Amino acid sequence: MSPKISLYLVRHGETYLNRYGKMQGWSDSPLTDEGRVVATATGQRLADTEFAYVYTSDSGRTLETAELILNESRHPVPVINRIKAFRETFFGGFEGEYSKVALGKIAENNAGVSFAELMQTVTVAEFADMTKKADPYHHAENFEELWTRIRGGLQTVIDLDYTGDAKVLIVTHGNTIRNIVNQLCEGVDVTIEIKNASVTILEHEDGQFKWIGFDQ
């Protein structure tokens, strides 16, 4: 039997672009004061959890969040590994646009329905493909591009040298977490909001992933 690997997927704290309601994928902005507060609070909740490894995306907002979380740890702190695989979705020409405007354009480009109506009828993967189609430059990641990147990062984590059961902290992004849960865990409602600094826990054992829960 292989070791049981618990993955703690944490969304970064609130950023200024979050506060302003703008699309933030590969673009980046610092944490707000509230973002730092909630990241620290998450660190306090996880203070007694000993992590064998820590990963973040290569965005500044995830690194800052991870540092705030680990500042609260009561255990030795591992080196933070920053990798592109755990970046947020790239929104192409919608980067930096007001979210309501961008999401409205994506919905309009698909039978003219509202965003709320659209999300009741399409999958996470379909929505990624729709975003690329609606992007004026068609630079946004479609689902295949997005999932290939994320899956590679997860494989890197699963293939690490474990001597027994272990916990891994991955500080990443809301849509990245949503796609991971959607692809790997059946029966989970991935339309719910993944809040800033929330914790989503998965377990990997004997080649299988299992959803443990959201800690919002």
Side-chain angles (χ1 to χ4, degrees), residues 3-181:
K4 180 171 67 178
I5 310 305
S6 299
L7 304 179
Y8 286 68
L9 307 174
V10 178
R11 185 187 174 197
H12 60 81
E14 182 195 62
T15 69
Y16 282 96
L17 287 180
N18 290 154
R19 175 71 62 88
Y20 303 150
K22 294 195 171 187
M23 300 290 281
Q24 182 180 219
W26 289 7
S27 57
D28 202 15
S29 62
L31 301 188
T32 61
D33 289 343
E34 174 62 22
R36 289 189 287 272
V37 167
V38 296
T40 297
T42 296
Q44 291 168 350
R45 297 204 309 275
L46 297 176
D48 290 320
T49 304
E50 185 172 7
F51 294 109
Y53 298 96
V54 177
Y55 281 82
T56 72
S57 75
D58 58 348
S59 299
R61 60 191 186 272
T62 56
L63 175 62
E64 187 176 2
T65 300
E67 290 172 339
L68 289 166
I69 290 172
L70 295 174
N71 282 346
E72 304 300 318
S73 179
R74 298 189 181 97
H75 296 279
V77 175
V79 172
I80 297 175
N81 299 282
R82 304 176 70 185
I83 61 174
K84 293 180 180 180
F86 293 130
R87 282 183 179 182
E88 181 57 291
T89 305
F90 182 48
F91 297 116
F94 293 128
E95 291 279 340
E97 176 63 274
Y98 283 103
S99 298
K100 288 184 178 179
V101 173
L103 297 175
K105 289 180 179 178
I106 295 166
E108 288 171 8
N109 201 53
N110 292 273
V113 299
S114 70
F115 174 68
E117 291 171 327
L118 186 64
M119 293 312 294
Q120 296 300 315
T121 59
V122 303
T123 66
V124 170
E126 289 169 338
F127 185 73
D129 291 342
M130 289 175 177
T131 301
K132 187 179 187 75
K133 180 181 177 182
D135 171 17
Y137 299 94
H138 305 300
H139 289 166
E141 287 182 301
N142 62 23
F143 177 72
E144 182 179 359
E145 293 165 334
L146 171 66
W147 183 242
T148 297
R149 170 170 62 79
I150 296 172
R151 182 175 57 197
L154 289 172
Q155 195 62 52
T156 295
V157 171
I158 296 305
D159 289 343
L160 292 169
D161 185 19
Y162 298 100
T163 57
D165 294 351
K167 297 177 175 64
V168 179
L169 175 63
I170 302 175
V171 183
T172 181
H173 307 267
N175 205 46
T176 302
I177 294 170
R178 180 174 289 105
N179 276 274
I180 290 172
V181 174

Side-chain angles (χ1 to χ4, degrees), residues 201-212:
I201 303 175
L202 307 183
E203 285 184 355
H204 179 273
E205 188 173 18
D206 295 331
Q208 299 296 317
F209 286 91
K210 180 172 68 173
W211 180 73
I212 303 302

